């Protein structure tokens, strides 16, 4: 992807153009005032339509307000894209902005997709899968990376599977973190047997731990937090638009963690040199 | 509950710590309303954050719910002994149970969802935009639940005719 941008100083619109495969994302930020229209028409629109025609995704996540003259610009982008036999989608549109689209009567013309992922599905650039491997893989990669970097522990993900209703997996210490996006919410649980966790923490802290204490139990939440933080970066680059809650950590021998969901719960077992552990990823649309 | 960790403060320099009184008052009002309407039970609260040497109820089941807003993120949780859970379950669903199992444990998450629903209706019109993650239920013996970012944690001991339990909320302001 390539990027270009203008600063918000001297009433210039803040924007970013990101080039993807078969599409182009126009990220608009801040308050788009009437006096910014001219400069946008002169400087940004030509850049937007240079090169081979592509679908356009307008990312409204950081858009705080939109003055009426901007609707002409947005409708112009939709129209121009259509002339090129391509389509435009607006993503991460706030409720306020959706209401504005409706009251201005442009909601039919400015087509909204929930997030980039959904937009790419709507534009026919990717196919929707029942189990989204693109969503799971970043968790696998970052778990392996985090344990390697933070604790010098080599780990290997085993084949992941959908948890059945009767499947029960228990751990002695678990980090739990909630996730929210425009199109789904969910949770991620990293659950360790005591022996595995103690060995990981001993390697991480350079000290030999023989029991789970308050001092080291937060390590599970920290590991969950770091794993999730890295996964989030990758997933949001792919357009999932994920936001995270704060993690919590639970200790207690052989506890089980359930999620209140009708969606799939994906279990990823890991094997390491210091013992097994597992991750549960739960999503609900 | 673990409520202090200076190292964590250091690793989150981009964050500030505070809980708006509106938020925790709304949470307590929401819990009171849900217990009153759904369980016909009157709740009493006492703030126990920072109080030492308290005899807290042991925890057999807990529920967590992530809170995500554009300005703040956090976690809502509730920790219960089995006796309180059994009483709540019976009052809510009319069935008597004597063991926590995967088949009945989700009742506590439903209560948490209801509390969040009322809480959200109270705080979001006041400038917040909290969305919930999926609730999780944890059950086992001698559980201990702690939130990351302890300094912004508020923990309440809740008492009713159904028994005692704790309700916790932790929040962190997100500065872009």
């Amino acid at each position: 992807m390539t990027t270009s941008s203008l600063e918000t100083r001297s009433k210039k619109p803040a924007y970013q153009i990101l080039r993807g495969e078969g599409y182009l994302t126009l990220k608009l930020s801040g308050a788009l005032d009437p006096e910014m229209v001219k400069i946008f028409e002169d400087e940004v629109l030509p850049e937007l339509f240079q090169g081979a025609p592509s679908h356009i995704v307008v990312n409204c996540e950081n858009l705080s307000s939109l003055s009426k003259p901007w609707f002409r610009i947005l409708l112009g982008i939709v129209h121009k894209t259509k002339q090129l036999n391509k389509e435009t989608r607006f993503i991460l549109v706030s409720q306020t902005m959706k209401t504005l689209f409706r009251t201005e009567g442009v909601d039919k013309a400015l087509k909204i997709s929930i997030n980039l992922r959904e937009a790419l599905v709507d534009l026919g650039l990717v196919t929707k899968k029942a189990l989204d491997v693109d969503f799971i893989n970043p968790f696998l990669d970052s778990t392996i990376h985090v344990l390697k970097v933070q604790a010098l522990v080599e780990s290997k993900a085993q084949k992941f599977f959908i948890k059945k209703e009767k499947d029960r997996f228990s751990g002695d210490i678990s980090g739990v973190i909630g996730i929210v996006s425009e199109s789904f919410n969910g949770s991620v649980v990293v659950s360790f047997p005591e022996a595995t966790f103690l060995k990981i923490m001993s390697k991480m802290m350079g000290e030999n731990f023989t029991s789970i204490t308050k001092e080291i139990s937060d390590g599970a939440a920290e590991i969950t937090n770091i794993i999730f933080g890295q996964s989030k970066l990758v997933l949001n680059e792919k357009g999932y638009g994920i936001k995270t809650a704060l993690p919590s950590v639970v200790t207690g021998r052989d506890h089980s963690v359930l999620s209140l969901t009708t969606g799939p719960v994906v279990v990823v077992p890991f094997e390491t040199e210091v013992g097994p552990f597992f991750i549960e990823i739960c999503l609900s649309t | 509950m673990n409520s202090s960790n200076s190292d964590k403060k250091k690793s989150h320099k981009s964050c500030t710590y505070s809980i708006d009184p509106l938020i925790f008052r709304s949470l307590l009002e929401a819990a009171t309303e849900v217990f009153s309407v759904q369980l016909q039970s009157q709740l009493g609260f006492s703030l126990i954050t920072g109080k030492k040497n308290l005899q807290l109820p042991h925890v057999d089941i807990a529920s967590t719910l992530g809170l995500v807003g554009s300005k703040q993120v956090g976690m809502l949780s509730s920790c219960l002994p089995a006796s309180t859970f059994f009483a709540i379950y019976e009052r809510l669903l009319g069935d008597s149970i004597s063991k926590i199992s995967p088949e009945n444990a989700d009742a506590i998450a439903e209560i948490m969802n209801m509390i969040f629903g009322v809480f959200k209706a109270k705080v979001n019109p006041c400038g917040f935009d909290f969305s919930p993650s999926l609730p999780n239920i944890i059950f086992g013996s001698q559980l201990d639940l702690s939130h990351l970012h302890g300094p912004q944690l508020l923990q309440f001991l809740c008492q009713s005719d159904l028994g005692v339990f704790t309700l916790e909320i932790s929040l962190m302001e997100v500065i872009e």
Side-chain angles (χ1 to χ4, degrees):
Chain A
M1 285 189 172
T2 58
T3 304
S4 60
S5 65
L6 269 177
E7 296 292 323
T8 45
R9 62 189 151 74
S10 65
K11 290 289 181 187
K12 286 180 178 177
Y15 78 99
Q16 201 173 31
I17 294 175
L18 305 160
R19 295 186 187 278
E21 283 183 25
Y23 69 98
L24 190 146
T25 302
L26 170 65
K27 196 172 181 179
L28 298 171
S29 304
L32 296 181
D33 297 332
E35 53 267 44
M36 295 174 178
V37 166
K38 181 79 171 71
I39 195 164
F40 191 87
E41 282 180 309
D42 292 346
E43 294 183 24
V44 185
L45 285 183
E47 187 185 343
L48 198 59
F49 290 103
Q50 74 184 8
S54 56
H55 296 296
I56 292 179
V57 176
V58 183
N59 183 334
C60 303
E61 187 178 14
N62 298 318
L63 195 56
S64 55
S65 66
L66 191 64
S67 58
K68 286 188 179 183
W70 275 88
F71 286 109
R72 180 175 60 79
I73 297 292
L74 297 180
L75 289 169
I77 292 172
V78 172
H79 183 67
K80 175 83 174 164
T81 315
K82 206 171 176 180
Q83 282 182 329
L84 298 167
N85 289 323
K86 297 291 176 185
E87 289 184 60
T88 307
R89 286 288 185 280
F90 292 78
I91 63 166
L92 304 172
V93 182
S94 68
Q95 202 52 51
T96 313
M97 213 58 78
K98 282 178 188 168
T99 307
L100 189 62
F101 281 17
R102 266 199 304 277
T103 50
E104 292 300 318
V106 295
D107 54 320
K108 298 281 188 294
L110 307 183
K111 290 182 182 172
I112 294 173
S113 298
I114 296 167
N115 55 30
L116 180 59
R117 186 81 192 165
E118 294 295 321
L120 297 184
V121 171
D122 293 344
L123 294 170
L125 295 173
V126 297
T127 51
K128 200 165 190 169
K129 299 163 190 164
L131 175 61
D132 191 349
V133 178
D134 285 347
F135 189 86
I136 309 296
N137 283 340
F139 287 99
L140 274 60
D141 296 340
S142 39
T143 302
I144 291 165
H145 179 72
V146 167
L147 286 182
K148 189 174 180 179
V149 170
Q150 302 286 335
L152 304 174
V153 169
E154 294 288 343
S155 56
K156 194 175 177 188
Q158 308 297 297
K159 192 174 179 185
F160 61 79
F161 55 90
I162 303 278
K163 188 178 179 181
K164 296 191 186 87
E165 205 173 322
K166 287 186 178 174
D167 287 342
R168 294 289 163 252
F169 302 96
S170 58
D172 301 320
I173 181 161
S174 301
V176 182
I177 193 163
I179 53 179
V180 173
S181 86
E182 289 286 326
S183 54
F184 61 83
N185 55 8
S187 65
V188 178
V189 179
V190 185
S191 213
F192 301 91
E194 183 178 18
T196 306
F197 180 71
L198 289 172
K199 284 173 188 162
I200 289 172
M201 290 311 292
S202 297
K203 284 199 160 214
M204 207 166 152
M205 310 294 280
E207 199 178 320
N208 192 30
F209 296 108
T210 54
S211 63
I212 297 174
T213 62
K214 286 275 186 195
E215 286 67 41
I216 64 165
S217 64
D218 280 347
E222 291 286 5
I223 289 173
T224 311
N225 210 19
I226 301 169
I227 290 171
F228 193 79
Q230 294 202 355
S231 310
K232 189 174 92 167
L233 281 176
V234 176
L235 289 168
N236 284 353
E237 272 177 18
K238 292 180 179 179
Y240 284 91
I242 288 171
K243 291 169 183 168
T244 62
L246 287 181
S248 58
V249 61
V250 184
T251 56
R253 189 161 292 281
D254 284 335
H255 65 256
S256 297
V257 183
L258 304 176
S259 298
L260 192 69
T261 179
T262 50
V265 179
V266 178
V267 181
V268 189
F270 282 85
E271 281 297 336
T272 76
E273 64 202 73
V274 294
F277 70 97
F278 66 91
I279 289 184
E280 282 192 20
I281 302 162
C282 180
L283 298 178
S284 182
T285 50
Chain B
M1 301 288 298
N2 191 358
S3 60
S4 68
N5 189 322
S6 58
D7 289 341
K8 271 178 256 154
K9 270 187 182 176
K10 284 174 198 165
S11 66
H12 290 87
K13 287 178 182 171
S14 61
C15 310
T16 58
Y17 305 97
S18 65
I19 291 185
D20 189 321
L22 171 76
I23 288 180
F24 68 80
R25 280 190 205 126
S26 299
L27 175 63
L28 299 183
E29 285 170 13
T32 304
E33 198 174 315
V34 169
F35 266 68
S36 173
V37 174
Q38 305 294 338
L39 303 168
Q40 296 79 50
S41 180
Q42 298 305 308
L43 264 189
F45 302 96
S46 53
L47 178 66
I48 52 174
T49 305
K51 291 186 182 171
K52 290 177 181 173
N53 304 321
L54 277 175
Q55 189 69 37
L56 292 178
H58 64 276
V59 182
D60 299 306
I61 184 165
S63 180
T64 62
L65 182 74
L67 304 174
V68 177
S70 57
K71 294 172 192 163
Q72 293 185 311
V73 293
M75 178 71 86
L76 193 60
S77 66
S78 184
C79 299
L80 300 83
S83 57
T84 304
F85 175 69
F86 296 155
I88 288 174
Y89 189 91
E90 186 169 356
R91 188 76 60 88
L92 184 69
L93 299 165
D95 291 335
S96 178
I97 54 168
S98 56
K99 191 182 171 193
I100 299 172
S101 70
E103 288 70 37
N104 58 38
D106 56 1
I108 192 61
E110 296 289 7
I111 293 283
M112 192 63 109
N113 259 347
M114 285 189 250
I115 292 174
F116 176 79
V118 179
F119 168 74
K120 184 180 166 184
K122 287 177 187 291
V123 298
N124 279 8
C126 302
F128 296 94
D129 57 351
F130 288 117
S131 295
S133 70
L134 283 178
N136 285 105
I137 309 118
I138 305 108
F139 64 96
S141 59
Q142 295 183 317
L143 296 178
D144 183 74
L145 177 83
S146 60
H147 293 219
L148 198 62
H149 309 290
Q152 323 89 281
L153 170 76
L154 289 179
Q155 186 184 23
F156 299 92
L157 183 66
C158 309
Q159 289 173 299
S160 80
D161 62 322
L162 299 169
V164 293
F165 64 97
T166 59
L167 191 60
E168 300 88 19
I169 184 167
S170 59
L171 282 177
M172 179 178 80
E173 278 186 29
V174 179
I175 299 173
E176 301 269 335

